[in-house]
């Protein structure tokens, strides 16, 4: 695989990163509102960049829904010149625009949650947010990319969108059952299955798409009685590694299951110059309980890099539950911040402050953020 290095950012000083924890569903509008809340938290904490987990904008009930709800292809023109390694990503003209009402709601949510009046999500907040989602039941699902660009512009934050499903991947051929009463010819013995790319995007504070990475290692796992997922059935693997400058440092982009392939991270650091390794994820409860923290600390220690891992947490639907524990880890392997999750509370974060009887139980602390300084 090749490594793309995307550098066009002024020299970095001490910066604060905000790592989100979400419980995304199949309601794109509500998911964007929750991201706007996290952006408000991050702005209030004086963070420079917000990091979101895999599937930040849509967690479908099944694979067919995921393919159907995929974003438009990112047919971007990425160019650079040898003088300053400048890279420009131009969005396709066919990208859907958000309605003015959704843009206004995202902006007002950021303002409300950045004002200092809110440190946590209350039960009343959750009820109001659900009412808004019902009242704004958009017939055409809002564009997640346009939603992120709006949130970035309104908050002044860079954003790592840790994984959204984007159409445009080549279809996969699969054997079709033979026709009754005879054999099938080679031309009609296969069917074409639509696939998507699991795409990690970086948006700057003016809403520009800086780069994108397509998840290379796909999650196919079957644990009897616990979990059965086959990402490769509907997702095509990416082939390029991506490194991108940002206000917090040079980012090495990966997604979730990539974390089990250490050689990928060595290449991001040794060849790409990555200083901060991103592992946005939606780990299952069984695999998260067994390996999440161990794998992330190992990647930090062996590469002497920061690791920022935004996570999904909680029950998304009847079939899917995520482990949680959004983490920030330093190059020594020490955990700087932990948002908590399935098997216990974390350390710090906006939703861990000023907790009282009026607040949601700790198992429902989403959306939330944890923060850490990057030096």
């Amino acid at each position: 695989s090749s490594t793309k290095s995307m550098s066009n950012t002024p020299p970095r000083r001490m910066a604060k990163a905000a790592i989100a924890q979400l419980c995304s569903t199949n309601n794109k509008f509500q998911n964007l509102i929750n991201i706007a809340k996290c952006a408000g938290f991050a702005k209030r904490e004086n963070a420079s960049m917000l990091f979101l987990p895999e599937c930040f904008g849509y967690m479908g009930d099944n694979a067919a829904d995921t393919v159907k709800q995929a974003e438009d292809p990112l047919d971007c023109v990425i160019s650079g010149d040898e003088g300053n390694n400048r890279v420009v990503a131009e969005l396709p003209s066919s990208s859907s625009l958000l309605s003015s009402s959704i843009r206004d709601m995202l902006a007002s949510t950021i303002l409300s949650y950045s004002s200092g009046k809110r440190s946590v999500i209350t039960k009343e907040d959750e009820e109001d947010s659900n009412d808004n989602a019902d009242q704004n039941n958009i017939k055409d699902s809002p564009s997640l990319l346009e939603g992120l660009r709006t949130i970035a512009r309104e908050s002044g934050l860079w954003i790592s969108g840790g994984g959204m499903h984007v159409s445009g991947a080549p279809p996969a051929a699969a054997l079709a059952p033979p026709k009754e009463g005879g054999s099938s010819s080679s031309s009609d013995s296969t069917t074409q299955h639509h696939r998507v790319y699991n795409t990690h995007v970086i948006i700057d504070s003016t809403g520009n798409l800086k780069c994108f990475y397509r998840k290379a290692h796909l999650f196919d796992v079957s644990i009897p009685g616990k979990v059965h997922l086959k990402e490769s059935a509907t997702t095509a693997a990416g082939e390029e590694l991506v490194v991108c400058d940002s206000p917090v440092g040079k980012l090495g982009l990966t997604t979730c299951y990539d974390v089990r392939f250490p050689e990928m991270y060595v290449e991001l650091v040794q060849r790409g110059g990555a200083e901060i390794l991103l592992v946005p994820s939606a780990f299952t409860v069984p695999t998260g309980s067994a390996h999440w923290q161990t794998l992330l600390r190992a990647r930090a220690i062996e590469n002497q890099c920061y690791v920022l891992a935004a996570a999904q947490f909680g029950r998304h639907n009847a079939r899917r539950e995520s482990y949680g524990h959004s983490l920030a880890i330093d190059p020594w392997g020490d955990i700087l911040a932990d948002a908590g999750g399935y098997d216990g509370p974390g350390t710090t974060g906006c939703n861990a402050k000023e907790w009282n009887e009026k607040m949601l139980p700790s198992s429902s602390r989403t959306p939330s953020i944890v923060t850490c300084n990057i030096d």
Side-chain angles (χ1 to χ4, degrees), residues 1 8 10 27 80 83 95 98 101 116-117 175 207 246 256 284 345 353 375:
S1 61
N8 185 35
N27 186 325
S95 289
L98 293 183
S101 62
K117 298 178 181 179
L175 290 177
S246 79
C256 201
T284 66
K353 296 176 182 177
D375 55 22

Side-chain angles (χ1 to χ4, degrees), residues 6-343:
M6 303 187 175
S7 178
N8 185 35
T9 300
R12 171 173 56 96
R13 59 184 184 274
M14 174 78 77
K16 181 176 286 187
I19 304 95
Q21 184 149 286
L22 302 173
C23 183
S24 300
T25 67
N26 62 359
N27 186 325
K28 289 186 177 182
F29 170 76
Q30 182 62 55
N31 295 336
L32 286 173
I33 290 293
N34 286 337
I35 293 167
K37 292 176 183 178
C38 289
F41 283 146
K43 186 176 181 180
R44 193 187 66 210
E45 296 291 318
N46 296 314
S48 300
M49 188 164 184
L50 174 64
F51 297 85
L52 304 175
E54 183 182 31
C55 302
F56 62 85
Y58 187 81
M59 184 74 79
D61 293 337
N62 53 64
D65 286 348
T66 297
V67 172
K68 183 179 179 180
Q69 291 294 325
E71 297 288 294
D72 291 339
L74 295 180
D75 294 327
C76 300
V77 177
I78 299 181
S79 60
D81 61 71
E82 296 180 0
N84 61 8
N85 199 27
R86 179 181 177 86
V87 175
V88 179
E90 299 177 0
L91 292 175
S93 58
S94 60
S95 289
S96 302
L97 296 176
L98 293 183
S99 67
S100 59
S101 62
I102 294 180
R103 289 198 302 270
D104 290 345
M105 289 195 69
L106 293 176
S108 64
T109 299
I110 293 167
L111 180 62
S112 177
Y113 282 80
S114 65
S115 65
K117 298 178 181 179
R118 302 169 184 264
S119 292
V120 292
I121 306 296
T122 66
K123 292 179 180 179
E124 288 79 6
D125 290 334
E126 189 175 66
E127 290 168 359
D128 290 344
S129 185
N130 288 337
D131 288 343
N132 287 335
D134 291 338
Q135 294 168 9
N136 292 271
N137 187 13
I138 312 301
K139 292 181 179 179
D140 297 322
S141 293
S143 163
L144 296 180
L145 184 59
E146 289 298 325
L148 282 194
R149 296 178 72 202
T150 297
I151 292 169
R153 283 192 296 264
E154 294 293 337
S155 65
L157 296 168
W158 281 55
I159 296 177
S160 159
M164 63 180 187
H165 296 102
V166 176
S167 58
L175 290 177
K179 295 179 179 178
E180 185 176 355
S183 61
S184 300
S185 67
S186 58
S187 61
D188 63 10
S189 62
T190 60
T191 57
Q192 298 294 308
H193 290 265
H194 294 292
R195 294 191 299 174
V196 297
Y197 289 115
N198 190 341
T199 307
H200 183 165
V201 296
I202 302 294
I203 311 291
D204 72 14
S205 56
T206 63
N208 291 322
L209 175 65
K210 301 300 291 184
C211 69
F212 61 89
Y213 159 73
R214 291 165 171 164
K215 185 178 180 181
H217 301 99
L218 304 179
F219 184 56
D220 292 353
V221 66
S222 182
I223 303 175
K226 294 184 178 180
V227 61
H228 177 76
L229 293 169
K230 190 174 178 62
E231 188 176 17
S232 64
T234 54
T235 305
E239 298 180 349
E240 289 186 325
L241 304 185
V242 177
V243 175
C244 179
D245 268 353
S246 79
V248 301
K250 186 168 284 189
L251 309 173
L253 277 62
T254 75
T255 304
C256 201
Y257 193 56
D258 287 332
V259 76
R260 295 185 182 272
F261 299 85
E263 65 279 3
M264 176 179 182
Y265 295 84
V266 172
E267 185 170 353
L268 285 168
V269 174
Q270 297 299 323
R271 295 183 57 187
E275 301 165 314
I276 302 164
L277 300 171
L278 306 185
V279 193
S281 299
F283 255 58
T284 66
V285 171
T287 57
S289 299
H291 299 145
W292 174 243
Q293 188 178 119
T294 301
L295 289 168
L296 293 171
R297 295 185 68 196
R299 298 297 84 83
I301 294 166
E302 66 199 9
N303 292 290
Q304 288 293 281
C305 284
Y306 286 91
V307 169
L308 304 181
Q312 293 280 353
F313 172 47
R315 182 161 292 282
H316 311 282
N317 52 51
R319 302 175 58 187
R320 187 75 183 268
E321 184 177 17
S322 293
Y323 176 68
H325 287 285
S326 292
L327 296 177
I329 303 172
D330 72 11
W332 193 247
D334 291 334
I335 294 176
L336 302 177
D338 178 354
Y342 180 81
D343 51 9

